[in-house]
Amino acid sequence: GYTLPWLELRKEIEQELENTRQKIQQAWEWRLSALQRGEPAAQVDAEWGRAVRAFRQHLEHLNQRIFDYNLQTPSDRFQMLRLNPDQELNRICGVEH
């Protein structure tokens, strides 16, 4: 079970990214459901805003980990691209932020 440290880091980043994407997807689904149930839009939007801010902060953290990972890779072909929060939100929720 031995792996190179940079490969292990990549796996950790990918898993953390997947978890982060799932959380914002769940928050988006909750938002839609809450609005359909007639919950006050201001409260729903405030909660959604908190989820988006947390998502952006987490991607900022992941981008730092990606930067560190890219410094460890033996070749450019193994490097990861930085994450764009707006593109991620658009892809996951189908809306622009």
Side-chain angles (χ1 to χ4, degrees):
Y2 177 77
T3 358
L4 296 169
W6 62 272
L7 286 175
E8 188 63 36
L9 180 57
R10 183 182 186 109
K11 287 180 187 178
E12 290 172 11
I13 291 169
E14 289 172 346
Q15 183 60 53
E16 193 172 344
L17 176 57
E18 182 60 31
N19 292 342
T20 302
R21 285 174 172 158
Q22 286 177 0
K23 285 181 185 178
I24 198 67
Q25 177 69 40
Q26 290 170 348
W28 177 250
E29 290 169 3
W30 170 86
R31 179 184 180 275
L32 295 176
S33 175
L35 290 172
Q36 286 179 345
R37 288 190 308 268
E39 293 186 29
Q43 290 176 338
V44 171
D45 287 342
E47 189 62 35
W48 171 245
R50 282 190 284 279
V52 169
R53 284 189 297 281
F55 179 77
R56 288 178 181 280
Q57 288 174 346
H58 208 97
L59 287 190
E60 187 176 314
H61 166 74
L62 281 171
N63 277 332
Q64 182 58 51
R65 293 192 75 195
I66 288 170
F67 177 80
D68 294 342
Y69 163 82
N70 287 342
L71 291 175
Q72 296 178 33
T73 60
S75 170
D76 290 349
R77 68 184 180 134
F78 297 114
Q79 293 196 348
M80 297 176 75
L81 296 175
R82 290 181 47 84
L83 302 164
N84 180 309
D86 293 329
Q87 289 176 349
E88 288 288 324
L89 286 167
N90 188 33
R91 187 182 67 77
I92 292 168
C93 306
V95 295
E96 300 214 10
H97 297 273

